[in-house]
Amino acid sequence: MSFGEKIASIMERPGQDSVAKDDTPWWMKYAGRGLGTVGGFIAIFLGVWNCATILLASIMCFLSGIWQMVAGFIVLMIEAPCCCLFIDFVQNLSDMVENKPYWNKAAVYCIIALPPIFLCPGISSIFGCGLIFATGVIYGLMSIGRKASWGEMRSAAVETSAPSSSMQSTLVENAQSMGFSSKPDSNV
């Protein structure tokens, strides 16, 4: 058993199939899960920091901090349900989200990360929610899938049957060549 397989077996979720259901690399799955977990903790901590700005009468930063803490908690519930053992429904929620396509998770993470940045554009909002947004970007990349092999890309580049890849195609079929016209009449 290689080192990567040992790490993958340690990081498996309880009841998870050992056979991968998609062609996403294992390191990308764990990068998304790890960044989501760390980003959730940091977002919660920096959300509390934003909430402390209520002392300076900054209501928008207070709301931003609350939103950031909720977003961090949602990400923690989905990515690391072991951190929320005191809540009964967390494991069921996490399992339900794991069965959805990656683009769903990417969209949710990117959407919930943006409002705190717009409400209170400070370093704590940008860094805390930026990690959640980066997790969404990783899941978005995972939803795209693997890149084609070198041979497939080369054969697609050489193929000229598609009209858009033909070297002879033009944008406008009835385009006329540019020419010089006569001098305008000055008597008019």
Side-chain angles (χ1 to χ4, degrees):
M1 181 181 268
S2 71
F3 180 70
E5 290 171 349
K6 287 180 184 178
I7 296 294
S9 67
I10 291 171
M11 297 288 286
E12 277 183 355
R13 299 173 65 95
Q16 182 180 1
D17 295 335
S18 59
V19 178
K21 295 177 185 168
D22 55 5
D23 59 350
T24 306
W26 65 270
W27 60 268
M28 197 169 216
K29 289 180 184 178
Y30 296 124
R33 177 154 298 154
L35 185 62
T37 304
V38 171
F41 278 121
I42 291 174
I44 291 172
F45 175 73
L46 292 176
V48 171
W49 185 264
N50 271 353
C51 286
T53 60
I54 193 68
L55 300 172
L56 302 174
S58 177
I59 301 298
M60 296 306 278
C61 287
F62 179 72
L63 294 175
S64 169
I66 290 174
W67 187 291
Q68 190 171 341
M69 287 189 300
V70 169
F73 186 68
I74 289 171
V75 171
L76 273 178
M77 283 191 323
I78 293 171
E79 297 299 328
C82 61
C83 296
C84 304
L85 290 175
F86 54 91
I87 302 175
D88 293 335
F89 66 89
V90 170
Q91 188 63 43
N92 295 336
L93 174 74
S94 180
D95 291 339
M96 180 190 72
V97 172
E98 283 297 318
N99 293 330
K100 302 285 183 192
Y102 289 130
W103 69 267
N104 289 351
K105 221 189 269 192
V108 167
Y109 288 173
C110 289
I111 289 171
I112 66 173
L114 291 178
I117 296 171
F118 293 130
L119 288 173
C120 181
I123 190 72
S124 59
S125 296
I126 292 172
F127 185 67
C129 288
L131 292 174
I132 294 174
F133 192 85
T135 305
V137 168
I138 288 176
Y139 279 110
L141 290 173
M142 288 168 54
S143 70
I144 292 172
R146 282 186 181 256
K147 191 169 112 174
S149 69
W150 183 77
E152 290 172 333
M153 288 191 293
R154 184 172 186 200
S155 66
V158 171
E159 183 179 311
T160 59
S161 63
S164 64
S165 65
S166 173
M167 298 301 266
Q168 303 300 324
S169 67
T170 59
L171 292 175
V172 181
E173 294 297 327
N174 59 357
Q176 297 175 0
S177 62
M178 289 180 56
F180 293 108
S181 60
S182 62
K183 202 175 197 183
D185 226 4
S186 63
N187 296 338
V188 178

